[in-house]
Amino acid sequence: MTTEKPLRIAMVGHGCMGAAHSQGWRVAPRFFDLPLRPEMALLVGRDASRTEASAQQWGWAEVSTDWREAVTREDIDVVDIVTPGASHAEIAVAALEAGKHVLCEKPLANTVEEARAMADAAERAAGRGVRAMTGFTYRRLPATTHARNLVADGAIGTVRQVRARYLQDWLVDADAPMSWRLQQEHAGSGALGDLGAHIVDLAQYVTGHHLTEVSGTLQTLVPTRPLPGNDGGAAERASVTVDDAALFTGRFDDGVLGTFEASRMATGSKNALQLEISGSLGALRFDLENLNYLDFYDTAAAPDRQGFTRIMVTEPEHPYVSAWWPAGHSLGYEHGFVHQAKDLVEAIAAGTQPAPSFADGLQVQEVLGAVSRSADKAGSWTPVR
Ligand code: SOE
C-alpha cells in the first residue's frame, strides 16, 4: 500500500501532455506501492476558466493563472512543467532555485543555451537534495526498458547500427491549421525537437551509446498554414517557421552508426516510433504502434529456425508489468506516464538522481542543435559538443 505521506504536485500547463501527466500522477499510487503519495494540489494555466475546467476533469485541487504561485508556495514539493518549450527554462530554473523538485516535458528547452542553464540549475539544486527529471516517457514502456536490459545483458552482442524513425502524419493536409507547434518562437523547432528528441533519447538509452557527430537536413514541406478558425484562404495563412521533417545520420561512440528520421508528413503513420538495433549476435526491433511487442533476432538459433521472434512484453517478469494485469492484458501509451511518475516519486523518496536527468536532456538538445547547424551547412558532419 502506498504510504499516506504526501508529495504535493503543481503542474504548469494543461494541454495534451497535461492530460497524460495528470493520468500518471493519479494512477501511479493506485497500482504501485509508493514511498510518498502524489497529491494533485495545483494546476496552473493562463486562461482561468479553461484551467478550472481541466482541473475539474483531471482532479486537481486548486488552480492559478500564475506559474510563480507553484514556485513560491511553501506547500508545493514538485513542479511539473508541460508548457510549450519557450517557457521551460524560466519556470524550471525558478522552481529549482526555490527548492522544488522538477519534472519537465521534452525537449528540455528550445535552445542549447536554455537547456544548459536548466542543467546547471539542476546540478546546483542536487547539492541541496532537490531532483530534476526530463520527461522522455518512452523509456518507461515495458518493451523499451526490456530492450535496454537485453542489450546491457549482451543478448545482441556488440551494437553496430541503429535505425530510428518517428513518423506522424497530422500535417499531411496542407490546410491543417497553424498552431504553436509550428512556430519557432514557441516550439524552437518542429519535427526535429518534438519527435527527433524522442528517438535520439531512446536510441541512446537502449544502446547505452551516445551520439558524437551528426549530418542532417531539415525541411518545411508546407510553408504556410491557415490560422485557426479561418477557411484556409491565401490571405488568412501564416508562415510555418519550423521543420516538418528532419533526416539525419549520426556517429555514436565506439563506432556505432545511426540513421534518424522525424516526420509529421509520413502519410498513414500515426505515432510510429520505430527502433531497430543491429548487433554482432542479434538484433532488436520496436514499433510504438505495437507497443506491447519487441522483436528479437538471435544469430545463435539453429539456421532452420532463424528469424525475428515476437516477444509479447506482458509477463510479470518484464519491467513494470507485475503491478498491472495478468500476462497478455496489454498496456498503452498512458502507462509510460504512470511509470514516469512512479520512478520520480521513488527517486525523490530515496534521495537519488532520477533518470533521465536535466544533463541527459541537455545532451539530447546538443544533438538537436548539431543537426540544425549541420542542416545550415548543407549537411556537413557537425560535432555534438
Ligand atoms: C505530438 O507530436 C506529440 O504529442 C509529442 O509532442 C509527444 O512528445 C509524443 O509523445 C506524441 O506526439
Side-chain angles (χ1 to χ4, degrees):
M1 261 282 274
T2 292
T3 153
E4 287 308 315
K5 202 170 162 213
L7 183 72
R8 292 174 56 87
I9 320 291
M11 189 170 78
V12 187
H14 56 95
C16 174
M17 283 303 108
H21 282 229
S22 298
Q23 178 73 351
W25 294 121
R26 162 95 28 225
V27 174
R30 303 194 171 181
F31 281 82
F32 292 91
D33 182 10
L34 298 184
L36 296 167
R37 179 177 291 277
E39 257 184 46
M40 296 165 69
L42 179 68
L43 181 65
V44 182
R46 279 178 302 186
D47 179 298
S49 64
R50 285 177 45 225
T51 311
E52 180 61 48
S54 297
Q56 293 221 355
Q57 186 179 352
W58 301 331
W60 291 87
E62 292 178 61
V63 296
S64 171
T65 52
D66 183 1
W67 63 262
R68 285 175 192 80
E69 194 178 327
V71 167
T72 50
R73 256 172 67 161
E74 292 269 306
D75 60 345
I76 297 297
D77 303 305
V78 177
V79 175
D80 182 3
I81 304 169
V82 292
T83 55
S87 54
H88 286 187
E90 188 183 15
I91 302 170
V93 171
L96 289 166
E97 283 174 355
K100 313 296 184 197
H101 308 291
V102 174
L103 170 60
C104 184
E105 250 308 310
K106 51 54 60 178
L108 187 58
N110 280 1
T111 66
V112 171
E113 291 66 35
E114 289 165 355
R116 188 166 294 125
M118 294 168 77
D120 288 348
E123 199 180 322
R124 289 193 301 274
R128 293 179 271 114
V130 176
R131 309 291 159 200
M133 184 199 238
T134 309
F136 286 117
T137 181
Y138 294 139
R139 286 182 176 212
R140 298 190 147 81
L141 296 171
T144 55
T145 308
H146 189 45
R148 175 184 167 97
N149 294 345
L150 288 173
V151 173
D153 285 351
I156 64 164
T158 305
V159 174
R160 289 175 174 154
Q161 259 188 279
V162 174
R163 286 163 218 97
R165 316 199 294 172
Y166 196 161
L167 309 178
Q168 296 184 345
D169 74 350
W170 56 281
L171 288 183
V172 167
D173 179 355
D175 289 333
M178 177 56 73
S179 80
W180 69 265
R181 288 181 185 275
L182 308 183
Q183 294 168 322
Q184 204 248 335
E185 68 271 30
H186 298 298
S189 66
L192 178 65
D194 187 26
L195 306 179
H198 276 303
I199 45 178
V200 167
D201 179 68
L202 200 61
Q204 296 188 138
Y205 168 70
V206 172
T207 63
H209 293 280
H210 286 88
L211 284 157
T212 56
E213 59 177 341
V214 292
S215 156
T217 187
L218 303 176
Q219 193 145 334
T220 309
L221 293 143
V222 174
T224 65
R225 297 269 172 189
L227 292 166
N230 288 329
D231 65 4
E236 299 152 336
R237 297 177 79 93
S239 292
V240 174
T241 48
V242 299
D243 55 287
D244 293 325
L247 307 179
F248 54 104
T249 48
R251 293 195 179 105
F252 295 72
D253 50 34
D254 292 330
V256 178
L257 195 60
T259 58
F260 294 81
E261 176 180 0
S263 176
R264 294 162 161 176
M265 289 280 186
T267 314
S269 290
K270 302 301 165 187
N271 203 30
L273 188 168
Q274 301 166 345
L275 193 63
E276 178 169 316
I277 302 167
S278 307
S280 57
L281 302 177
L284 289 166
R285 280 186 193 150
F286 170 75
D287 184 345
L288 185 62
E289 288 187 349
N290 280 299
L291 62 81
N292 287 277
Y293 295 93
L294 182 66
D295 293 342
F296 172 51
Y297 183 93
D298 185 357
T299 58
D304 66 334
R305 293 178 192 195
Q306 274 186 9
F308 276 92
T309 302
R310 176 144 275 211
I311 305 170
M312 190 177 201
V313 194
T314 59
E315 298 295 326
E317 290 73 17
H318 289 134
Y320 301 108
V321 177
S322 62
W324 295 102
W325 316 111
H329 293 60
S330 306
L331 301 192
Y333 173 72
E334 68 189 50
H335 292 85
F337 294 90
V338 178
H339 302 156
Q340 174 170 274
K342 165 208 176 285
D343 288 342
L344 179 55
V345 170
E346 287 178 348
I348 289 171
T352 54
Q353 172 58 56
S357 65
F358 274 17
D360 296 327
L362 166 61
Q363 188 270 346
V364 171
Q365 205 73 43
E366 288 173 327
V367 173
L368 304 179
V371 172
S372 271
R373 292 202 308 282
S374 166
D376 288 344
K377 294 179 289 167
S380 67
W381 281 100
T382 303
V384 168
R385 282 202 166 135

